[in-house]
Amino acid sequence: LQHVAVVFDAPGKSFRDDLFAEYKAHRPPTPDDLKIQYHRVKELLGILRVPMVTLDGFEADDALAALALRAAESGGEALVCSSDKDLLQIVRPGIKVLREHLQKTELLDEQGVFEKMGVRPNQIAAYLGIVGDTADNIPGVPGCGAKGAAKLLAEYGTIGAIIANADAVKPAKVAEFLRTQPEAVRLSEKLATLDTD
C-alpha cells in the first residue's frame, strides 16, 4: 500500500440537488452520536496524517471515484473501500471495490460486479437509473426491479437504446413509462452517475 486517503461528503448541497430538488429528501438527519464519531475519526486520521478529502458541490463518491481513476490511469491499482453500489460503476482493470454488505466482505472486480449485480460495471448507473435508489430518493422506472433492469440492459445495453425500443419492452406498464417519461429515466441515470471530472 503506497497511498491512502479518506473521503467525506462536503457540507452543503451537491450538484445533484440542483438537478433534482427531491434528491435524498427522505433521509433523516444525521444522528448526534454519529456526528461525534465523525469528529473522532477525523481527529484520529489527523494524528495518523492520513489525508482527508472533501470537494464542495460533490459527494464523497464522486471524489473517491476520481481519485481511483487517476490512480489506475497512472498505472497504479486502486482499492476503493465502500458499501455504496454507485462506486461499482468505476470497477475496471486497476480498480476493485472492497465492500461490507450484510455482514459479508466482498472484493469485487469486473466479473464480481457482473455476478453480483447482473450487469457490467459500465452499466451500473443505467441499472440504478432503472431500479431507482431509495437511499438517495432516485425514482427509477416504476414496476421494474433488479431482474427486469438487468434483462433490459443485457438486451439493449444502454438507457437510450431501451427508451428507443420502449414499444418492445414488457411489461406494458414499464413500456408506457419509458415512452411517456423518457427524461425522468435519463435524470435517474444522471443522478446515479459519478462525476469523475
Side-chain angles (χ1 to χ4, degrees):
L1 185 66
Q2 292 180 314
H3 306 285
V4 65
V6 177
V7 183
F8 293 95
D9 283 329
K13 295 186 176 194
S14 79
F15 72 93
R16 289 178 183 86
D17 295 293
D18 295 332
L19 293 173
F20 184 55
E22 296 298 309
Y23 183 69
K24 293 189 178 182
H26 298 111
R27 278 206 184 166
T30 304
D32 289 337
D33 58 344
L34 185 57
K35 288 179 186 176
I36 293 167
Q37 291 176 50
Y38 279 139
H39 175 73
R40 290 182 177 154
V41 166
K42 289 179 180 180
E43 186 176 27
L44 177 61
L45 292 170
I47 292 167
L48 296 173
R49 296 185 180 180
V50 173
M52 292 172 271
V53 177
T54 59
L55 194 57
D56 289 340
F58 296 88
E59 295 180 50
D61 291 350
D62 299 306
L64 252 175
L67 289 170
L69 286 171
R70 299 309 179 274
E73 288 165 0
S74 67
E77 291 187 10
L79 179 62
V80 176
C81 301
S82 174
S83 60
D84 200 322
K85 292 186 301 261
D86 297 3
L87 283 158
L88 298 178
Q89 66 193 267
I90 62 163
V91 171
R92 62 198 67 202
I95 302 176
K96 294 179 182 173
V97 171
L98 181 67
R99 66 191 306 252
E100 185 82 24
H101 183 65
L102 301 175
Q103 299 179 337
K104 180 178 158 188
T105 302
E106 306 169 310
L107 179 61
L108 299 176
D109 58 9
E110 291 170 283
Q111 184 60 33
V113 171
F114 183 79
E115 289 170 7
K116 179 159 193 65
M117 306 298 291
V119 296
R120 298 184 311 275
N122 66 353
Q123 294 176 310
I124 289 290
Y127 171 87
L128 293 173
I130 296 169
V131 300
D133 187 340
T134 54
D136 291 342
N137 200 32
I138 296 174
V141 177
C144 194
K147 288 182 182 176
K151 183 178 176 187
L152 286 171
L153 288 166
E155 187 168 352
Y156 298 109
T158 66
I159 293 270
I162 293 168
I163 291 169
N165 290 282
D167 290 337
V169 169
K170 302 284 187 232
K173 181 173 122 179
V174 171
E176 178 67 14
F177 188 86
L178 292 166
R179 271 194 305 272
T180 61
Q181 305 288 325
E183 291 311 312
V185 182
R186 287 189 175 97
L187 174 62
S188 288
E189 179 184 30
K190 190 172 181 92
L191 291 169
T193 300
L194 297 176
D195 186 331
T196 59
D197 291 333

